């Protein structure tokens, strides 16, 4: 039996068209202005738009046409989200607290500086499906955290010294993995890349599981993305995690593009 991969964009268009026509009377083309307007009117979250500051055509450092005071159509939230307007208020509050209390701001004020991570821990634990609040912490930036976690859990021993990542992983992930291999004295051969098959755009779960099984004595760490930043593929995290653990590997996930976008149950998945 052969498997013919469908173009992801075509599959998405077909799925959306079917869902929309089933649930509404909108029959407009998915790339039409009428369809966009329809989605805006049906969007239950549209009220949140006013809580963010949009760049204008005149404020961004590139050539634009149209009313220079009009807001941009912003499609780069995957790289950097828009600034919440409330951020100005919160930052001003902390700077004011710093000025008035100096070192005492560490443990005083509405959000003491030394405890600034605490208000977000409960909702973060729910979003990632942690077993308890004590299992999450909010700190640093993504690549710094990847380095810290991998340094702690990547412990090459004998022939078990390889790290498995997906081909075309987020660039900083690749840099972090290669840096770690060099630091541990492991050559480029320590990097295993799992790729889509010829003519396909996404990576099949069975190919990931097969690579883990075929290299179960060599892989020290499986480190994949929950959602692949370039293709949008959502990996079967539970199956892959369990396969990695059965093979004796440490398993880690970069969830930068998964948190808040897909359901996560890290506590259940192990």
């Amino acid at each position: 039996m052969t498997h013919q991969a469908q173009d992801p964009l075509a599959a998405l268009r077909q799925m959306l068209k079917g869902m929309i026509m089933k649930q509404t009377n909108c029959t407009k083309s998915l790339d039409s202005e009428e369809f966009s307007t329809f989605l805006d009117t049906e969007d239950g979250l549209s009220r949140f738009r006013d809580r963010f500051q949009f760049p204008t055509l005149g404020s961004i450092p590139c050539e634009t046409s149209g009313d220079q005071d009009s807001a941009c159509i912003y499609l780069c939230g995957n790289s950097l989200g828009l600034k919440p307007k409330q951020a100005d208020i919160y930052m001003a509050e902390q700077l004011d607290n710093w000025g008035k209390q100096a070192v005492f701001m560490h443990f005083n004020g509405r959000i003491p500086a030394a405890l600034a991570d605490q208000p977000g821990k409960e909702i973060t634990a729910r979003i990632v499906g942690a077993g308890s609040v004590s299992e999450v912490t909010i700190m640093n930036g993504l690549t710094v955290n990847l380095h810290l976690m991998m340094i702690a859990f990547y412990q090459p021993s004998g022939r078990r010294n390889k790290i498995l990542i997906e081909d075309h992983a987020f660039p900083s992930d690749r840099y972090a993995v290669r840096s770690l291999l060099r630091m541990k004295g492991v050559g480029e051969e320590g990097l295993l890349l799992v790729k889509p098959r010829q003519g396909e755009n996404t990576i099949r779960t069975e190919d990931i599981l097969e690579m883990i099984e075929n290299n179960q004595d060599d892989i020290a760490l499986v480190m994949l993305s929950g959602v692949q930043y370039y293709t949008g593929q959502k990996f079967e995290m539970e199956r892959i995690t369990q396969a990695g653990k059965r093979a004796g590997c440490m398993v880690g996930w970069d969830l930068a593009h998964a948190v808040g976008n897909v359901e996560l149950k890290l506590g259940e998945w192990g």
Side-chain angles (χ1 to χ4, degrees):
M1 180 177 179
T2 60
H3 174 85
Q4 181 63 41
Q6 186 176 12
D7 177 67
L9 184 57
L12 179 61
R13 285 177 176 273
Q14 184 177 354
M15 180 187 71
L16 286 174
K17 186 175 182 179
M19 290 173 57
I20 292 164
M21 292 188 68
K22 182 178 179 180
Q23 298 177 17
T24 72
N25 293 321
C26 183
T27 59
K28 302 297 183 181
S29 172
L30 297 186
D31 57 3
S32 67
E33 183 175 350
E34 292 84 356
F35 178 71
S36 298
T37 302
F38 170 78
L39 288 183
D40 284 343
T41 60
E42 295 294 311
D43 183 8
L45 300 177
S46 59
R47 66 186 186 278
F48 289 101
R49 176 184 173 87
D50 290 337
R51 299 188 184 186
F52 296 86
Q53 181 178 346
F54 283 75
T56 64
L57 291 179
S59 68
I60 57 175
C62 55
E63 185 177 348
T64 61
S65 60
D67 182 358
Q68 296 297 287
D69 293 326
S70 63
C72 294
I73 297 174
Y74 192 73
L75 301 175
C76 297
N78 62 300
S79 182
L80 181 63
L82 293 172
K83 187 191 76 173
K85 295 176 181 177
Q86 199 73 8
D88 292 337
I89 298 173
Y90 291 151
M91 290 300 296
E93 177 185 346
Q94 289 300 98
L95 290 172
D96 184 63
N97 199 27
W98 179 14
K100 291 178 177 178
Q101 299 199 43
V103 71
F104 295 100
M105 76 172 294
H106 287 157
F107 294 99
N108 289 280
R110 188 174 66 87
I111 303 179
L115 307 174
D117 64 314
Q118 297 301 306
K121 289 189 67 171
E122 184 176 343
I123 190 171
T124 300
R126 292 202 306 269
I127 291 173
V128 301
S132 70
V133 173
S134 64
E135 295 178 356
V136 302
T137 189
I138 302 170
M139 58 186 239
N140 303 317
L142 173 62
T143 307
V144 172
N145 286 335
L146 281 176
H147 275 290
L148 293 175
M149 296 295 286
M150 290 194 298
I151 286 171
F153 290 102
Y154 171 63
Q155 300 296 330
S157 176
R159 61 180 288 184
R160 188 183 287 277
N161 63 2
K162 299 183 185 299
I163 300 177
L164 173 64
I165 65 173
E166 79 266 23
D167 188 42
H168 213 302
F170 197 75
S172 58
D173 289 17
R174 299 197 303 269
Y175 302 153
V177 167
R178 285 191 164 94
S179 174
L180 182 63
L181 289 171
R182 287 197 301 270
M183 187 180 73
K184 294 288 189 175
V186 180
E188 189 71 16
E189 69 278 2
L191 185 64
L192 289 179
L193 296 176
V194 60
K195 305 179 181 181
R197 296 186 186 183
Q198 184 69 33
E200 298 184 8
N201 298 296
T202 56
I203 304 171
R204 298 192 195 183
T205 300
E206 58 262 37
D207 290 347
I208 299 174
L209 301 182
E210 182 180 8
M211 180 167 282
I212 292 173
E213 183 178 358
N214 292 343
N215 297 273
Q216 60 183 321
D217 295 326
D218 302 317
I219 299 176
L221 174 66
V222 176
M223 215 289 286
L224 301 170
S225 304
V227 171
Q228 219 287 331
Y229 88 101
Y230 195 75
T231 65
Q233 178 183 2
K234 176 180 177 289
F235 289 109
E236 295 187 60
M237 287 173 268
E238 182 176 13
R239 289 183 64 191
I240 296 168
T241 297
Q242 295 306 319
K245 293 176 69 174
R246 285 195 302 270
C249 314
M250 288 291 181
V251 181
W253 292 96
D254 175 355
L255 301 176
H257 296 87
V259 170
N261 290 320
V262 299
E263 185 178 21
L264 299 172
K265 298 181 180 179
L266 300 186
E268 293 183 20
W269 298 341

